[in-house]
Amino acid sequence: MVRLPGGCFQMGSPTSEAGRDSDERPHRVCVEAFEIGKHEVTQGEWQAVMGNNPSHFKNGDRHPVENVSWNDVQEYLQRLNQRTGKTYRLPNEAEWE
């Protein structure tokens, strides 16, 4: 995990940006410090928690897992949290930005 500092930034895009959606208006967003995984979840990590490997490209335990849905990830996180006693989650939109 890598700790990222909190802070504030301008999120959204200017009205002049091509392809901009109407809900992307610029606005100030502040986030608290948080931790995020430095690397993608690997096929081996997924296998250890879920008991399967849904990846299409099965290149080995050290390669990123793929071919998973948002719902699959929520199940993975629930099981991981139960095993570790910690609280892992996906980053929210502002954190991802």
Side-chain angles (χ1 to χ4, degrees):
M1 301 298 278
V2 176
R3 183 147 183 92
L4 298 178
C8 299
F9 66 98
Q10 192 74 13
M11 189 167 153
S13 57
T15 56
S16 60
E17 184 175 294
R20 176 186 179 275
D21 291 327
S22 61
D23 65 347
E24 296 176 2
R25 63 175 176 67
H27 58 288
R28 184 173 171 82
V29 175
C30 296
V31 296
E32 299 287 326
F34 65 100
E35 292 183 353
I36 192 165
K38 186 174 182 177
H39 303 285
E40 297 91 342
V41 172
T42 66
Q43 293 178 29
E45 291 167 334
W46 187 276
Q47 176 76 39
V49 172
M50 300 299 286
N52 64 43
N53 180 358
S55 298
H56 176 74
F57 301 101
K58 291 181 172 44
N59 296 323
D61 287 350
R62 296 183 62 183
H63 290 266
V65 69
E66 36 84 14
N67 202 32
V68 296
S69 70
W70 182 89
N71 288 326
D72 295 335
V73 172
Q74 295 307 307
E75 179 66 23
Y76 173 84
L77 291 170
Q78 181 181 22
R79 291 183 189 190
L80 182 64
N81 290 343
Q82 286 175 341
R83 278 189 179 192
T84 64
K86 296 183 179 182
T87 303
Y88 295 100
R89 62 175 176 81
L90 290 173
N92 64 39
E93 184 180 9
E95 291 167 341
W96 187 254
E97 192 72 25

